[in-house]
Amino acid sequence: MSALPEFQSFNVSVENHIAHVQLCRPDALNSMNQAFWLELPQCMRAIEAQTDARVIVISSTGKHFSAGMDLGVFTNPKAVPMSGDAGRMAENLRRVVLQLQDTLSSLEQIRLPVLAAIQGGCIGGALDMVCAADSRYCSADAYFTIKETELGMTADVGTLQRLPKLMPQGVVRELAYTGRKFSAQEAKALGFVNEVYESQQAMLDGVMTIAAQIAQNSPLAVTGCKEMLNYSRDHSVEDSLRYMATWQAGMFRPTDMMKTFQAKAQKQQAEYDDLFSVKGLFEE
């Protein structure tokens, strides 16, 4: 495996098949600046392609998980021109928004499960990001808000599309229309987060334990679960069942099951082969 690149926005470590990605700009409240939007998909895909990680944990540093979008992203005239033909400006802005959306969608597109560990404020664009994770966990001081509404705009990079799949429609609409904060306890009651922990350290310990359990399983079985769950969310039950049958016909082999049975008989942990590396076309 080759060394991971250095990132301005993240500290990354990989140990025991677990990749830990930490937002590392606490002095700036881990706001999502221009570097963040470029680096997040690079980071996710580098972990997938260049490490033996089987699960990713995203956490943060400092008092708050993230204050959300750095306004400098939309005030950069190179990305979003502020003058010229109105139609051309609109077409450009649409492409910028699509690119921002693709950044967060990278959490769904990689084959590894992504677990988000959230402390303090998870605001605006940060909420968009954790909605794209497979599972969310938080400390008792965490809170969430669709901040864009209060700022006079409509959230545009994923919250309004993903949150209704994770929480009741009526509640999501209230949160979107009002922009009010909702607490860790409310998020747990609504099923948005899996668990609330007393402190940030307790949360990290708990999430790493869950990540270790995932990493012990067959990586082929786990990536199959992610593929099926994402597909089923966006398709009918019938279509999803048919896709499942096709996936199973193509991907299922008894090798990992035999390793599981042998390990259980010997009261040991099964050791599974890694998936083949993700590579570019014709890349060695």
Side-chain angles (χ1 to χ4, degrees):
M1 299 292 179
S2 57
L4 290 171
E6 295 288 329
F7 299 104
Q8 296 179 37
S9 305
F10 313 106
N11 293 324
V12 184
S13 61
V14 181
E15 188 175 355
N16 298 324
H17 297 299
I18 301 170
H20 187 190
V21 178
Q22 281 190 304
L23 280 66
C24 63
R25 299 175 59 246
D27 293 343
L29 302 179
N30 297 298
S31 59
M32 303 159 81
N33 62 2
Q34 294 175 41
F36 170 93
W37 293 99
L38 294 173
E39 290 181 344
L40 181 64
Q42 295 170 2
C43 180
M44 294 295 104
R45 289 166 186 145
I47 291 170
E48 182 181 46
Q50 297 172 221
T51 78
D52 65 354
R54 297 179 180 178
V55 58
I56 297 174
V57 173
I58 297 179
S59 71
S60 192
T61 52
K63 183 177 180 180
H64 297 290
F65 180 78
S66 173
M69 177 81 75
D70 187 315
L71 294 181
V73 173
F74 276 118
T75 58
N76 180 352
K78 292 182 179 179
V80 186
M82 298 298 178
S83 61
D85 176 73
R88 286 166 174 76
M89 289 173 60
E91 189 277 336
N92 180 80
L93 179 57
R94 178 178 183 272
R95 282 188 292 105
V96 170
V97 173
L98 288 171
Q99 289 171 320
L100 296 173
Q101 292 172 350
D102 284 345
T103 287
L104 302 187
S105 293
S106 65
L107 275 62
E108 291 181 338
Q109 293 164 354
I110 59 170
R111 61 187 176 178
L112 310 179
V114 179
L115 314 181
I118 304 151
Q119 88 284 0
C122 181
I123 299 166
L127 180 57
D128 291 281
M129 176 172 68
V130 302
C131 283
D134 290 89
S135 298
R136 289 149 295 278
Y137 308 83
C138 69
S139 56
D141 67 344
Y143 64 88
F144 308 84
T145 176
I146 305 175
K147 189 69 174 179
E148 291 89 343
T149 310
E150 283 191 354
L151 300 178
M153 65 175 290
T154 302
D156 56 3
V157 287
T159 290
L160 301 183
Q161 291 68 41
R162 294 187 173 99
L163 201 55
K165 308 282 189 179
L166 302 170
M167 287 167 42
Q169 272 270 353
V171 177
V172 174
R173 288 170 184 263
E174 176 195 313
L175 296 171
Y177 299 156
T178 63
R180 73 169 176 83
K181 297 178 182 178
F182 60 105
S183 67
Q185 292 71 30
E186 185 176 0
K188 174 68 160 57
L190 292 167
F192 181 61
V193 299
N194 292 27
E195 189 58 80
V196 177
Y197 297 87
E198 290 185 5
S199 67
Q200 184 177 2
Q201 188 58 53
M203 172 185 64
L204 283 173
D205 292 343
V207 174
M208 286 300 178
T209 298
I210 295 166
Q213 291 175 317
I214 294 172
Q216 287 179 349
N217 288 329
S218 159
L220 183 59
V222 171
T223 196
C225 289
K226 179 163 183 173
E227 179 76 15
M228 291 306 118
L229 288 166
N230 284 348
Y231 188 91
S232 297
R233 180 196 60 190
D234 300 329
H235 296 79
S236 70
V237 172
E238 181 178 1
D239 288 345
S240 300
L241 288 170
R242 289 181 177 277
Y243 183 36
M244 180 72 248
T246 303
W247 174 277
Q248 202 73 326
M251 307 296 176
F252 176 70
R253 298 293 184 272
T255 308
D256 284 2
M257 284 187 64
M258 294 304 298
K259 288 184 177 182
T260 302
F261 295 150
Q262 290 169 2
K264 286 185 180 297
Q266 298 169 4
K267 297 183 179 180
Q268 297 177 348
Q269 172 61 44
E271 297 290 336
Y272 302 105
D273 295 339
D274 292 332
L275 297 175
F276 290 166
S277 297
V278 173
K279 299 178 181 178
L281 188 63
F282 307 128
E283 181 181 339
E284 294 185 1

